[in-house]
Every structure is written in C-alpha cells, then in structure tokens.
Amino acid sequence: MVHLKQPQLSGLGRNPAASPDVLVRLSAHEAGRHGLTLRRGQLPDAVAEALLTHGGRDSAVLLNRNQVSPAMRRRIAGHPDPAIRDAHADFVRTMVERGVPMSIDDLVEAYGQPPAELAASSDPKLRAMVAQTWRERPIVVQLTLLTDPDPEVRAAATQAKDPGVPPEYYERCLADPAIRANVACRIPLTFDQFDRLLATGDETVLHAVAGNPHLTSDMVSRLQDSADPSVRVAVAYSRHVTPETRDLLLALVEAEDATGSDEAALALHWSPYEPSWLRDAPLAERLTYIDCPHAVFRRILAASRDLPEAAWQTLDEDPDVSVRRTAAHRPDTAPEVLLRLIRAHGERSHVRPLLVDHPNFPREELRDLVDERDPRVRILALKDPELPVAQLRRFGDCEESFMRAGVARHPNVSADLLERLLVDPEPRVAEDAAANPVLPRAWMDRIITEAGL
C-alpha cells in the first residue's frame, strides 16, 4: 500500500509553483526526489545539489542535461564521489551493453568521444547503438557500418529509412541475411532480385518484399496467390490491383480472422502496410476512393488538404469514425462537425493535436459536456479553465479516478475540494492535487512538515 504522503510529496516535486526552498526540503525524501526528476525545465543549482546529497548515484543518473545548468554539469563531472561522478556514464554504458536505445548525445557524453569515433569503436554493441541513434551520420560512416563485420551493426545501420543504402550497395545488402529484409522493403528491385528474395523462403523477407512501395505490376501479380495473410493485405493495398482483386484478397483475410487466426488478425489490424502511394496521387485519382469499401483508403484520402467541399461533406458523414476524425483535423473544419464528433466519440488522447484544441472548436460549448453520460466525453468539460466549482464538485465525486484526477489538475478547483483530493485513496489523484500550482504555499509547508522533512 502506498503511504498517504508519498503521492503528495511526488506531486509537490512536480508542482511548478513550488519555491526552491520547498524543492530542497523535498529532496530528502525518495518520493519527493521522484517528483523533482519529473519537473520540466532547469532545476536551480541548490536543488540539484540537494538531490545529489540525498539521492546520491540514483539522482545523478536521473538528472538529465536539460534539468541542470552547465555549471552543475561541471560540478557533477568533477564530483569527489566517483559513484556520483560516473553515475550517468555507467548507466549509459550499461544500457548499451543491454541494447537499450540511448541518444547520440548521451553516448558522446558518456564515452567522451565524437560520434564518428564512436562509430569506429572496437565494441560492436557500441557501434550498433551509434548506427541506431545517429540518424544524420555522413555517408562515409554509413558505408563503413554497412560493411561492418558484426551482423548486428549492419542490421542497425539499415533499420531506419535514412541515411539509406546507395545503389551500388544494393546487391551486397540483398545478399546479406542480416539486413536483406531491412533493405528489401525500401529499394527499387529488379525482377531478378525480386525472384531471388522470394526464393530464400524467409517469411520476414517475404513480408518486407510485399510491402515494398516500388514493386511493379508484374511483381504484385506474382504475390497475389500467396496464402500468407500479411502478403494478401499488402497486395490488396497496392495500386496495381483491381478493386475486384482487392475485395477478394481482403475478404479471404477477414474470413480467416473470423475463424480465430492470429496471423489474419495481425495482418488486418496491426500490420505496417497501408496504401501510402495514395497520398501523392493526383486529386482526381484520390477522389475515386471516396466510396472505397475499405476504410484505410478513405482515411488516407481524409488526410488530404486540397479536397473540394463536397468531398469533405461526404467524409464528415463517413461510417468509420477514424475517417471522420482524420477529416476533422483539416484547418477549416466546421465547429458543428468537431462538436458532433466529440459528443459521439470523445477524444483519442494519444492523437495530437486534440480535436478540442482545433482553432474552430466551439470552446464555449465545453461546459455543456458536463451532463454527457459517457465519462470519456464528460471529462472534456474540464478543458474549460473557468468551469464552475459546482460542476467540479460533481466530477470530484465521480467513481472514475481519472475524472477526480482531472478535477485535481483544474485551475479553478476550490480550496476545500483540493484539500479533499489531496487525501484521495487513489494515489494518482492525490499526486495531481499536490502538483496543482494553485496549491497554497502554507499547504506545501504542511505536507513537508508532516512528512518529517
């Protein structure tokens, strides 16, 4: 069970209104230190120093370069305690050994060498990490990594689209089992290369080839008879198949999905394939897909910004909510369209910008959402910074903890309601209440004093 004071101390550490002396006192408690490391912006040197005093090596690891001043970074680099002085470098090296991605800036700082020298390190794990994270490397470095003796380094060098593989290296890379799939999904293939890749019998390579955007109609035709659900979906999304073939291929995969096939479900709902070519097609061609029975095509069309008004009206009434959401992100979406979507389906918090943040969203209507039955819609009323306290009290009594947490973060929360939320049984709510910048200074002192700090 979480001690009552722990979420309060953690939230107080995040509170942007907490003064430096409050933050220094918080650094003496583990929960307070946790909140401090989550603060945005640079910490005062005195606070960073207190974190090192009380948190030692653990705090030194968590303090990132954006949280401490240049002077404090020099102070840490020359710290008399080697556990603190070497904490961040040791942490980065451990992550490299375990293959956990670290930024190129972290690597440079930890190893004390420029990126080009790190790319030539004797440690293959470090070379692979550089290949994975140094995306803007020069071509001369990329060519060295493409021919590295370690297969993991070569794989890392071809994992992302950029900096890519020069044409003169195509054959060499396609012949390399460690990287052929990474390359086969991106580069233009000759028919001979296409044949040789299929002949490998490697499922990963087959899926990579199937998703290659440069396939010719003859290559796509060769893949049409595949029984692999992922290949069928990839082929169905190709610009080279007829609508009838597309419908047939997707119907076959949907039928397999209905019987419980995990492979079919993965291909339909989680595969990386999409008809990306449609984004760059001429307007007239794109508009032919406005009535396509497959939502992914309509969704890509809805991401356009040059459609005629009649097309937008059709997309705003699309039976698939993901299509309507995509269309609603255009700059001139009508306020009533945005409000209708919100009322019916709420927000998708992981898709930014939010619809309620659209310039045309009628924010004066937010307050009316307090009576919506769906809590996912009702919570959006909290986007109104002046929501009356009476409505906040209603939300503060809700069974859903995410509603109470939203009240705890609200700028118009009353003192008595905030005090109640500070002792909410759900730690997240109590922490958010303590992190609210309207929290009085006297309450901050009380929380710290009661924690014995």
Side-chain angles (χ1 to χ4, degrees):
M1 180 177 178
V2 177
H3 190 277
L4 179 62
K5 287 299 174 187
Q6 290 183 5
Q8 292 181 357
L9 294 171
S10 180
L12 197 52
R14 292 193 289 114
N15 194 314
S19 61
D21 61 306
V22 167
L23 303 181
V24 167
R25 293 172 67 187
L26 281 170
S27 67
H29 194 285
E30 181 181 5
R33 292 194 296 274
H34 172 72
L36 285 169
T37 58
L38 297 178
R39 286 179 71 85
R40 295 182 178 180
Q42 191 175 107
L43 292 170
D45 286 357
V47 177
E49 187 68 56
L51 277 169
L52 294 177
T53 298
H54 296 289
R57 180 183 182 280
D58 291 341
S59 290
V61 167
L62 293 173
L63 284 173
N64 64 62
R65 63 177 54 83
N66 296 320
Q67 285 186 302
V68 295
S69 68
M72 183 51 63
R73 287 204 295 273
R74 292 191 296 270
R75 166 87 174 94
I76 295 173
H79 202 281
D81 184 347
I84 291 177
R85 185 174 64 241
D86 301 330
H88 188 261
D90 289 345
F91 170 75
V92 172
R93 291 171 185 270
T94 300
M95 294 301 100
V96 169
E97 181 64 28
R98 295 176 180 176
V100 178
M102 301 298 295
S103 74
I104 190 63
D105 290 335
D106 281 327
L107 298 177
V108 169
E109 184 176 333
Y111 289 88
Q113 295 177 312
E117 291 184 17
L118 295 177
S121 167
S122 60
D123 181 1
K125 290 184 179 294
L126 178 55
R127 299 199 305 273
M129 188 65 70
V130 172
Q132 186 176 349
T133 61
W134 188 22
R135 297 294 176 82
E136 297 179 356
R137 56 187 178 268
I139 189 62
V140 64
V141 175
Q142 173 69 343
L143 296 182
T144 300
L145 293 171
L146 289 175
T147 57
D148 193 279
D150 190 285
E152 291 188 8
V153 176
R154 301 196 301 275
T158 54
Q159 194 173 59
K161 178 181 179 180
D162 296 317
V165 176
E168 61 268 25
Y169 277 67
Y170 285 176
E171 275 295 334
R172 176 175 186 148
C173 291
L174 291 175
D176 184 349
I179 62 176
R180 59 164 58 114
N182 289 350
V183 177
C185 67
R186 296 191 182 99
I187 67 171
L189 300 171
T190 66
F191 210 92
D192 180 59
Q193 290 169 336
F194 173 83
D195 269 340
R196 280 186 278 131
L197 288 169
L198 296 190
T200 64
D202 186 324
E203 183 182 75
T204 302
V205 172
L206 173 62
H207 290 173
V209 171
N212 188 308
H214 304 291
L215 295 186
T216 65
S217 58
D218 288 343
M219 295 174 185
V220 171
S221 180
R222 279 277 305 277
L223 294 172
Q224 278 184 205
D225 295 330
S226 174
D228 187 301
S230 291
V231 176
R232 283 176 170 168
V233 169
V235 171
Y237 292 165
S238 169
R239 71 186 311 160
H240 296 302
V241 298
T242 64
E244 294 76 20
T245 299
R246 177 176 296 123
D247 294 345
L248 174 61
L249 290 170
L250 292 175
L252 289 171
V253 181
E254 289 165 358
E256 292 181 39
D257 181 30
T259 64
S261 167
D262 291 338
E263 292 79 6
L266 187 66
L268 279 176
H269 309 295
W270 297 101
S271 81
Y273 305 127
E274 63 175 12
S276 55
W277 54 268
L278 186 58
R279 290 190 177 91
D280 300 319
L283 175 60
E285 182 179 358
R286 276 180 281 141
L287 288 173
T288 63
Y289 287 87
I290 198 166
D291 294 318
C292 179
H294 311 295
V296 62
F297 287 85
R298 306 195 308 275
R299 191 160 55 244
I300 287 181
L301 174 63
S304 301
R305 292 294 178 263
D306 59 347
L307 304 184
E309 183 57 31
W312 289 126
Q313 291 175 6
T314 299
L315 292 169
D316 286 338
E317 301 294 336
D318 194 276
D320 189 287
V321 65
S322 70
V323 175
R324 300 201 302 277
R325 285 189 188 278
T326 302
H329 279 93
R330 66 188 185 274
D332 59 347
T333 308
E336 59 271 18
V337 171
L338 293 163
L339 185 60
R340 185 169 67 241
L341 258 176
I342 287 296
R343 284 190 178 280
H345 304 285
E347 278 284 11
R348 296 181 69 190
S349 59
H350 64 285
V351 177
R352 300 300 169 125
L354 298 175
L355 290 177
V356 293
D357 292 331
H358 192 289
N360 293 350
F361 187 85
R363 297 189 69 82
E364 67 278 4
E365 304 284 348
L366 285 170
R367 200 167 298 186
D368 291 341
L369 300 178
V370 295
D371 295 318
E372 292 289 334
R373 295 184 60 183
D374 188 341
R376 296 172 304 171
V377 178
R378 198 161 65 244
I379 194 173
L380 295 175
L382 292 172
K383 286 283 187 178
D384 180 354
E386 298 179 357
L387 193 67
V389 172
Q391 307 296 352
L392 293 173
R393 292 189 196 283
R394 285 177 54 191
F395 285 5
D397 292 329
C398 284
E399 178 182 352
E400 298 88 359
S401 63
F402 67 86
M403 296 289 290
R404 303 197 305 276
V407 176
R409 296 188 298 269
H410 200 275
N412 207 33
V413 63
S414 63
D416 64 313
L417 181 53
L418 187 61
E419 188 165 27
R420 174 157 62 87
L421 295 170
L422 275 171
V423 293
D424 193 278
E426 173 58 46
R428 171 191 173 191
V429 178
E431 182 173 341
D432 282 345
N436 194 321
V438 305
L439 188 75
R441 168 61 194 260
W443 293 16
M444 297 184 189
D445 290 333
R446 186 188 71 195
I447 291 171
I448 295 174
T449 300
E450 290 178 353
L453 304 178

